[in-house]
Amino acid sequence: MSAAARPLAWLLFAALLVVTLAPIGYRPVSAAPVSLERFGAFALLGFLFAAGYPRRRWQVLALTLAAAGLLEILQMLQPTRHGRVADFAVKAAGCGLGGLAALAIAHRRKAPEERG
């Protein structure tokens, strides 16, 4: 699973970077609430990075949280965007839940005798 997750994680990160820093008119819109979009995108990011780098889960959590914070800060450079602490909190929660989901799946995939 990690071989496929790594490139997908980096591609998603690049896509989030572009979407987050582009002018607001270029931001994709769905029927879902914006907070749910943010949460879902960063949960997937946290999941993919945690699945892609299973022996570095704490570093992955730190990286995804730092990325979420940095993207919020960088939005302040774009005149049509704004960074908010509340938006960061939603993204951070997504990162954490995604990482936990990857951990749970990895744990369930282990043979019962390995779990001890």
Side-chain angles (χ1 to χ4, degrees):
M1 179 159 76
S2 65
R6 286 179 183 183
L8 290 174
W10 287 106
L11 284 171
L12 178 58
F13 177 70
L16 289 173
L17 181 68
V18 169
V19 168
T20 301
L21 300 179
I24 194 74
Y26 294 113
R27 183 183 149 321
V29 179
S30 73
V34 176
S35 290
L36 184 58
E37 290 176 352
R38 288 183 186 114
F39 181 86
F42 280 84
L44 182 58
L45 185 72
F47 177 83
L48 289 172
F49 270 111
Y53 299 92
R55 295 177 189 248
R56 301 186 180 273
R57 290 221 168 85
W58 288 111
Q59 292 93 337
V60 162
L61 180 61
L63 172 79
T64 55
L65 291 174
L70 182 62
L71 289 175
E72 283 301 312
I73 291 167
L74 288 175
Q75 280 188 23
M76 292 185 225
L77 300 175
Q78 174 57 253
T80 63
R81 304 301 295 260
H82 53 273
R84 293 186 184 165
V85 174
D87 294 347
F88 168 73
V90 169
K91 292 174 181 179
C95 292
L97 185 68
L100 281 174
L103 180 63
I105 289 170
H107 184 69
R108 289 193 49 89
R109 292 181 72 165
K110 285 184 178 179
E113 62 273 0
E114 290 181 18
R115 281 189 251 167

